[in-house]
Amino acid sequence: MARRRIAFVLPVYDEVESLTAFHAALTTAIAERPDLEFELVYVDDGSRDGSLDLLLELREADDRVAVLGLSRNCGHQIAVTAGLGAVGAADAVVVMDTDLQDPPAVALELIARWEQGADVVYAQRRTRRDSRFKRTTAWGFYRLLSRVASIEIPRNVGDFRLMDRRVVAEVGRYREHDRFLRGIVAHVGFRQEAVLYDREHRHAGRTKYPLRSMVALASAGIVGFSTAPLRWISRLGFAISFMAVLVAAYVLYVRVFNPEDAVPGWAFLGVGMFLLGGIQLIMMGVIGTYLGRVYTATQNRPLYSIALVARGSAETDPSSR
Ligand code: UDP
Ligand code: MG
């Protein structure tokens, strides 16, 4: 049997200080599996610090290295997507960061789980050594996401994961622009398993995810996997309309029991204000419902992904390993 082939997709943005150490650590780790073939696809996401030249040097020294250079900084999620599209014929693909926060040794554990039959093995952070701010915001974000998302997206999981080639092929069918890859992979399905690990410190340099990008990623996650905010509009509308009823009851009470406190015209104004506001929000919610459908349709995601076909005398996996 031919040796199975594992590709690594490695996004790089201004990592010149970490790359040499990362590459050394990764090659040492994969040397433990001489029974597998490897391809290391580095995606340079428009670095400006000479990372690309360093990557080309790594390629000179090691022909398992492939380098993909994006024309400008497109962001981590797009860089990974580009890398997934560029891997050669691989049986499985591992995505990991190149700042040594994702330990290469854990990648071997992911591969082992895949060999035992999992289609997606995601590395779940048991601990993380980021700033307190990042930890609390991440915690809040995952909580919110798991409440509103239409599918279950595992918590404390970044983009460090292994995907079987069937999953990679399915992920490639999701062409949405605001990408939240961990959501897309969860949406694809198949047999998904977790491996726990301790996230390390960044080897060198600063995070390339400033607050702005974190907020953008978080909103891609929520907006991409939930139309709940659109539904909140009509709920709010109903709540405000209900307040109109309360105001009406209060106005009536004053009219009957303390008529001397009643101000001419206030019933119409007070009740009308809440009622109109409520009706407008309900109507916006109606528009939102249709907008949600248009949005889902324009995302143009695959309706389903097939994991197995059993027909006649054969039972096949559409792209058997
Ligand atoms: N990265 C990228 N493009 C970007 C930002 C980051 O390719 O615009 C890469 C970066 O080089 C690293 C990975 O994505 O390999 C994760 O980025 P980072 O470590 O800065 O994020 P953090 O770990 O702080 O969330
Ligand atoms: Mg990092």
Side-chain angles (χ1 to χ4, degrees):
M1 201 177 102
R3 288 198 293 170
R4 297 223 265 179
R5 228 176 124 82
I6 310 281
F8 280 82
V9 167
L10 308 160
V12 176
Y13 179 50
D14 288 352
E15 300 287 8
V16 80
E17 297 157 274
S18 312
L19 268 178
T20 316
F22 171 78
H23 186 71
L26 183 61
T27 42
T28 316
I30 61 180
E32 286 179 28
R33 293 299 307 267
D35 56 320
L36 296 172
E37 259 182 59
F38 290 98
E39 183 186 21
L40 312 179
V41 181
Y42 283 98
V43 183
D44 175 65
D45 185 16
S47 299
R48 280 161 296 188
D49 68 345
S51 294
L52 183 58
D53 295 329
L54 181 57
L55 289 175
L56 292 172
E57 279 170 31
L58 295 179
R59 188 182 106 89
E60 292 279 294
D62 187 342
D63 61 6
R64 296 172 299 179
V65 173
V67 180
L68 198 68
L70 299 187
S71 57
R72 62 174 172 82
N73 181 239
C74 296
H76 172 232
Q77 302 283 304
I78 302 287
V80 171
T81 306
L84 290 177
V87 294
D91 296 300
V93 178
V94 178
V95 176
M96 65 192 289
D97 291 354
T98 49
D99 57 358
L100 279 167
Q101 279 195 291
D102 301 337
V106 176
L108 295 181
E109 289 180 45
L110 302 184
I111 294 171
R113 283 294 270 279
W114 168 71
E115 288 172 323
Q116 288 160 21
D119 294 305
V120 173
V121 191
Y122 48 84
Q124 191 159 31
R125 299 163 189 156
R126 187 185 311 142
T127 57
R128 57 192 293 173
R129 306 208 184 147
D130 292 307
S131 64
R132 166 169 289 237
F133 174 74
K134 191 152 185 165
R135 287 199 314 257
T136 19
T137 48
W139 181 83
F141 166 68
Y142 282 113
R143 247 185 95 89
L144 176 66
L145 187 65
S146 62
R147 282 198 55 164
V148 301
S150 52
I151 46 157
E152 199 175 318
I153 300 174
R155 289 192 195 184
N156 296 324
V157 171
D159 287 307
F160 183 19
R161 70 183 74 230
L162 175 144
M163 291 176 264
D164 183 72
R165 67 151 189 240
R166 303 188 291 169
V167 177
V168 176
E170 290 304 316
V171 168
R173 293 169 68 202
Y174 289 67
R175 300 312 294 175
E176 57 219 59
H177 281 231
D178 285 310
R179 298 178 79 73
F180 185 65
L181 278 169
R182 28 201 114 152
I184 295 177
V185 175
H187 198 258
V188 165
F190 291 93
R191 195 169 142 193
Q192 311 221 356
E193 288 178 11
V195 161
L196 290 176
Y197 79 112
D198 299 300
R199 192 156 163 89
E200 293 297 327
H201 281 296
R202 180 171 243 292
H203 177 73
R206 291 164 45 111
T207 172
K208 308 303 182 312
Y209 260 98
L211 187 60
R212 191 163 38 88
S213 324
M214 262 162 62
V215 171
L217 182 69
S219 91
I222 290 180
V223 177
F225 290 91
S226 159
T227 46
L230 290 172
R231 286 197 302 276
W232 295 339
I233 300 176
S234 39
R235 271 195 224 159
L236 188 65
F238 280 111
I240 290 180
S241 307
F242 181 67
M243 275 163 74
V245 176
L246 295 184
V247 173
Y250 176 66
V251 164
L252 198 67
Y253 168 84
V254 172
R255 182 101 194 120
V256 174
F257 296 102
N258 314 3
E260 64 281 8
D261 281 355
V263 184
W266 77 314
F268 178 72
L269 286 179
V271 177
M273 192 178 75
F274 281 99
L275 193 63
L276 269 183
I279 291 176
Q280 278 175 346
L281 281 178
I282 293 173
M283 291 306 146
M284 277 173 67
V286 172
I287 297 177
T289 309
Y290 286 91
L291 187 67
R293 296 213 167 191
V294 174
Y295 175 60
T296 322
T298 50
Q299 277 180 321
N300 206 11
R301 287 181 179 160
L303 294 180
Y304 49 80
S305 301
I306 294 177
L308 174 129
V309 180
R311 167 188 285 153
S313 56
E315 178 178 306
T316 50
D317 181 323
S319 67
S320 52
R321 298 186 196 165

